[in-house]
Amino acid sequence: MNTGSVSEMVVNQVITENRNVSIPSYFYIVNGFSGIPHMRYYYIFLFFVYIINVLGNSCFMFVIIMDRNLHTPKYLAIFNLSFTDISESTAVIPQILDTFLFGNQLIRYGLCMSNMFSVLLFLAMQSLTLTVLSFDRLVVISLPLRYHMIVTHRSVLVIIGASWTLVLLLTITVVNFMSRLSFCKFIVTVNSFYCDHEPIYRSACNNNFPSSVIASLFPVIILGFPVAFIILSYTCIAVTLFRITTPQDRQRATKTCTAHLILVAIFFVPITLTYAFWPFINTNTRIINLSLTTVLPPMLNPIIYTFLTIIIICTG
């Protein structure tokens, strides 16, 4: 961050100390990675992660479009996952690089709200898409004879459409309540790696109770319910696999779930643990964990699906 921006921030804070400000002009993203040596290399790492993510998911989407054998309900959901992965990383990584690598830590109010909206939207959609894929695996293993009757292009499109509608309504609600908050300074400090919802609403001067309720409900809806459904799905799948008598059939059925299970573990385990132990984790650890959870799964999704698909085809 340049000296002029620092001076502007200090002057504005002093001038507005005893004045009421409804909407701040800027949000100042505090370097949540402070105190960690060689962080510049981490930003370079994020840049390469973003390039691999965009190239990998774009190629994966292109292959799905071009190969008629992949025009199935399952790959329709995977296509949606790849689109969400690219969108989520685009909402996060360029902003991190601009903020911390190039020192542009002052973000205008409208841009900050847009960043918050995009991150929450695509993060929630990634969670729900993984849930849709667990439903696909549940039906194909537990009800194989009825799979093509239940999991159709129409049903998957309806589920994905409903998922997008739900996360759009939730995210619009979050940002709408945020826009009703009043702040007492022209520049509000945010201790995170992006325009994070919780640090911002806690800085408000007026009643932030509605936003605090949303901050508690949002993770439950986009993480708690999906995790519960996925656990229930794989419990049913385990029971079905236990009933399969032929080892070859059991092994074949297990292979179809491997890619999805890996993606579920990579996405849900770190972020769930972070929210569960939020008060006990120091700021730097929490921010790095959340940033890695946000950027790594989108990069790994096409790699894991492609690699395991090749293994399944080669091993029959």
Side-chain angles (χ1 to χ4, degrees):
M1 184 177 180
N2 57 46
T3 306
S5 297
V6 175
S7 301
E8 180 185 359
M9 180 185 68
V10 174
V11 170
N12 279 334
Q13 286 179 331
V14 172
I15 292 176
T16 62
E17 186 175 15
N18 296 315
R19 296 172 57 188
N20 291 324
V21 178
S22 177
I23 296 178
S25 299
Y26 295 93
F27 289 98
Y28 177 64
I29 309 297
V30 177
N31 193 338
F33 307 107
S34 59
I36 303 176
H38 310 299
M39 279 307 299
R40 185 174 294 270
Y41 296 108
Y42 180 66
Y43 304 138
I44 295 173
F45 165 74
L46 291 181
F47 172 75
F48 283 106
V49 165
Y50 180 64
I51 296 300
I52 295 171
N53 175 2
V54 173
L55 291 177
N57 280 293
S58 297
C59 290
F60 201 50
M61 293 167 66
F62 178 76
V63 170
I64 293 174
I65 292 173
M66 298 303 296
D67 191 346
R68 287 187 172 274
N69 294 324
L70 300 181
H71 293 182
T72 63
K74 173 187 173 181
Y75 278 94
L76 180 62
I78 295 176
F79 183 91
N80 182 69
L81 181 64
S82 292
F83 171 77
T84 304
D85 289 340
I86 293 176
S87 302
E88 181 189 355
S89 293
T90 301
V92 175
I93 297 181
Q95 185 65 55
I96 291 179
L97 297 180
D98 183 57
T99 301
F100 298 123
L101 187 60
F102 298 106
N104 298 319
Q105 292 170 258
L106 279 177
I107 302 178
R108 290 188 177 276
Y109 179 85
L111 183 60
C112 190
M113 292 297 104
S114 299
N115 178 243
M116 180 192 300
F117 176 85
S118 300
V119 173
L120 293 179
L121 175 70
F122 295 120
L123 184 69
M125 197 59 214
Q126 186 177 8
S127 174
L128 293 187
T129 305
L130 289 172
T131 308
V132 173
L133 287 169
S134 72
F135 169 73
D136 174 84
R137 296 299 85 195
L138 172 65
V139 177
V140 77
I141 293 177
S142 299
L143 301 169
L145 298 179
R146 301 184 60 188
Y147 175 77
H148 294 291
M149 296 176 58
I150 299 174
V151 183
T152 63
H153 285 87
R154 181 184 178 85
S155 64
V156 171
L157 282 173
V158 168
I159 294 173
I160 291 175
S163 299
W164 275 107
T165 302
L166 174 62
V167 297
L168 274 171
L169 290 175
L170 286 172
T171 312
I172 288 172
T173 301
V174 171
V175 177
N176 180 52
F177 276 104
M178 183 67 66
S179 66
R180 300 182 182 183
L181 295 178
S182 294
F183 297 87
C184 300
K185 296 180 180 179
F186 281 133
I187 299 177
V188 177
T189 300
V190 181
N191 188 15
S192 186
F193 62 95
Y194 75 105
C195 288
D196 200 349
H197 176 255
E198 184 166 353
I200 292 178
Y201 87 75
R202 289 187 182 278
S203 302
C205 295
N206 62 340
N207 181 18
N208 62 12
F209 179 73
S211 291
S212 67
V213 172
I214 292 174
S216 300
L217 290 178
F218 196 82
V220 173
I221 296 173
I222 70 167
L223 292 176
F225 289 154
V227 167
F229 181 84
I230 291 171
I231 291 175
L232 180 61
S233 297
Y234 276 98
T235 301
C236 297
I237 289 172
V239 171
T240 302
L241 292 176
F242 182 76
R243 293 175 180 173
I244 297 176
T245 56
T246 308
Q248 291 80 5
D249 291 340
R250 189 182 297 116
Q251 185 180 15
R252 190 179 299 109
T254 303
K255 283 181 181 179
T256 64
C257 300
T258 304
H260 181 255
L261 275 174
I262 293 174
L263 296 181
V264 164
I266 292 172
F267 177 79
F268 283 106
V269 172
I271 195 169
T272 302
L273 290 176
T274 299
Y275 278 105
F277 298 99
W278 189 279
F280 311 104
I281 304 176
N282 68 66
T283 303
N284 283 337
T285 302
R286 183 170 66 244
I287 289 176
I288 288 182
N289 188 28
L290 284 177
S291 65
L292 288 174
T293 302
T294 305
V295 302
L296 284 183
M299 180 194 72
L300 295 174
N301 286 349
I303 297 173
I304 291 172
Y305 263 111
T306 301
F307 180 70
L308 290 177
T309 300
I310 292 172
I311 290 178
I312 291 173
I313 293 174
C314 293
T315 58

